């Protein structure tokens, strides 16, 4: 039975980003400039908030760009627990041609030992006050080692907190070994990280079953336009959302993870939590703006998502 109370989520966002986008003006007018808080953690947090969750975001929001990013995030009703002095990154894109052209990119500053310790402690304490902790990675090398994530999972499991991770590479390997609640990972990341020998369904299924045997309660493998693979100790299923015309494919995976985390937080069975995530991801690609959507539309659309058990 679904718990309709608002779940509390703690989102680790180690790489917040100020996103500046130049769009074609309406009716041939002057270009439009849009400014958003970005990065995987913040995009995911925005969708989780749209789905009714109470969201706390932990991350480094130092420097001039970090101040602006934090202000925009708080304006979107996200609670922030900022750490250290490391600065956030920034990305300027020209999207007037229909395809994004990066004009300028400023990577986030690397996190030193003290900044990592501050981020760890802040995330741990915040997660202990939440129903679910969501772990995200970064698009740049800011120096967050895999064992940072593994230690977080170990400490949160000791306090019986659910952990949903959207990670790849060494970070994914660390949370698998530590036994996170759910690892969400793409088919490409499964192959590139050496978890699977290929991206075919059989290869992914075999690899995910091996990973589940090592610790996680579930592995969710997103497969682009193909049905999402969900592997648990109880069996394997495919989750399929109705096809949508894509306006902007970015953020679909983050929206899916947000839906999964919200579903886990409110007590949905895992296949239904993934169905909510699939609906959030599918509807997100039909909108301008990453991590955005309306809860009532996503909840209704989730009823059209199919769940097929695999033998």
């Amino acid at each position: 039975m679904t718990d309709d109370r608002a779940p509390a989520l703690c989102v680790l966002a180690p790489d917040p980003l100020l996103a500046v986008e130049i769009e074609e003006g309406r009716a041939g007018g002057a270009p439009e400039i849009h400014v958003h808080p970005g990065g995987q953690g913040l995009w995911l947090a925005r969708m989780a908030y749209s789905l009714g969750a109470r969201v706390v975001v932990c991350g480094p929001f130092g420097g001039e760009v970090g101040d602006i990013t934090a202000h925009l995030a708080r304006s979107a009703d996200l609670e922030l627990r900022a750490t250290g002095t490391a600065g956030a990154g920034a990305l300027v894109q020209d999207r007037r041609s229909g395809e994004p052209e990066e004009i300028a990119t400023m990577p986030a500053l690397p996190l030193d030992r003290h900044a990592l310790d501050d981020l760890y402690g802040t995330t741990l304490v915040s997660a202990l006050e939440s129903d679910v902790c969501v772990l995200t990675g970064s698009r740049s090398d800011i120096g967050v080692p895999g064992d940072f994530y593994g230690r977080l999972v170990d400490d949160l499991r000791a306090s019986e907190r659910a952990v949903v991770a959207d990670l790849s590479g060494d970070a994914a390997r660390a949370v698998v070994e530590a036994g996170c609640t759910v690892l969400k990972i793409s088919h490409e990341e499964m192959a590139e990280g050496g978890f699977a020998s290929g991206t075919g369904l059989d290869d992914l299924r075999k690899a995910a079953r091996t990973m589940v045997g090592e610790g996680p309660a579930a592995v969710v493998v997103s497969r682009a336009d193909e049905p999402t693979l969900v592997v648990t100790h109880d069996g394997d299923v495919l989750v399929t959302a109705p096809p949508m015309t894509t306006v902007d494919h970015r953020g679909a995976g983050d929206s899916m993870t947000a839906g999964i985390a919200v579903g886990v937080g409110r007590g949905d069975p895992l296949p239904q939590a993934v169905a909510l995530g699939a609906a959030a991801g599918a509807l997100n690609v039909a909108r301008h703006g990453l991590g955005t959507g309306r809860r009532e539309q996503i909840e209704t659309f989730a009823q059209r998502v199919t769940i097929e058990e695999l033998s």
Side-chain angles (χ1 to χ4, degrees):
M1 189 72 178
T2 298
D3 184 355
D4 289 329
R5 73 183 179 87
L9 267 58
C10 169
V11 178
L12 169 63
D15 190 10
L17 178 74
L18 177 65
V20 182
E21 298 178 349
I22 305 170
E23 299 274 2
E24 188 70 35
R26 297 175 184 174
E32 297 181 0
I33 298 178
H34 302 274
V35 183
H36 307 286
Q40 183 187 11
L42 286 172
W43 288 323
L44 188 155
R46 290 178 66 191
M47 176 57 76
Y49 177 80
S50 297
L51 288 169
R54 293 175 287 121
V55 184
V56 173
V57 179
C58 301
F61 288 87
E64 180 181 39
V65 170
D67 289 341
I68 297 171
T69 306
H71 171 75
L72 292 171
R74 292 187 176 106
S75 297
D77 296 313
L78 299 178
E79 179 182 345
L80 299 190
R81 295 186 183 172
T83 66
T85 58
L91 171 67
V92 181
Q93 284 188 337
D94 189 338
R95 303 180 62 82
R96 285 174 290 180
S97 67
E99 293 295 328
E101 176 188 353
E102 292 194 7
I103 296 175
T105 302
M106 183 180 78
L109 293 177
L111 303 177
D112 61 23
R113 184 184 64 183
H114 300 294
L116 282 172
D117 287 345
D118 192 11
L119 182 60
Y120 188 93
T122 300
T123 304
L124 177 63
V125 171
S126 300
L128 291 175
E129 299 171 345
S130 305
D131 298 307
V132 180
C133 180
V134 187
L135 305 181
T136 70
S138 63
R139 71 193 301 268
S140 57
D141 185 9
I142 58 173
V144 182
D147 70 342
F148 178 97
Y149 295 97
R151 287 191 295 121
L152 261 178
V153 174
D154 278 333
D155 291 343
L156 292 172
R157 281 193 65 196
S159 295
E160 300 182 341
R161 288 297 182 272
V163 181
V164 174
D166 189 341
L167 299 167
S168 60
D170 290 342
R173 188 166 285 104
V175 299
V176 165
E177 294 173 355
C180 63
T181 309
V182 179
L183 170 66
K184 183 264 181 185
I185 187 169
S186 75
H187 67 298
E188 294 172 335
E189 292 165 343
M190 286 283 281
E192 291 170 0
F195 299 106
S197 58
T199 57
L201 179 59
D202 290 341
D203 293 327
L204 296 171
R205 191 177 176 189
K206 179 180 178 181
R209 293 217 64 82
T210 299
M211 295 164 78
V212 166
E214 295 175 356
V219 173
V220 178
V221 184
S222 59
R223 302 166 59 227
D225 296 331
E226 298 296 320
T228 298
L229 172 66
V230 183
V231 174
T232 70
H233 294 284
D234 297 328
D236 311 343
V237 301
L238 290 177
V239 177
T240 307
M244 299 290 292
T245 300
T246 300
V247 173
D248 190 342
H249 67 86
R250 301 172 305 156
D254 302 326
S255 294
M256 170 179 277
T257 304
I260 294 170
V262 170
V264 169
R266 67 189 192 186
D268 291 356
L270 186 63
Q272 279 66 44
V274 177
L276 180 66
L283 286 181
N284 184 244
V285 303
R287 296 172 59 93
H288 294 90
L290 280 64
T292 61
R294 293 183 179 274
R295 179 181 180 182
E296 64 275 11
Q297 294 175 357
I298 295 170
E299 297 274 11
T300 300
F301 195 69
Q303 298 174 21
R304 296 184 175 275
V305 174
T306 61
I307 300 171
E308 174 192 355
E309 293 186 6
L310 296 175
S311 59

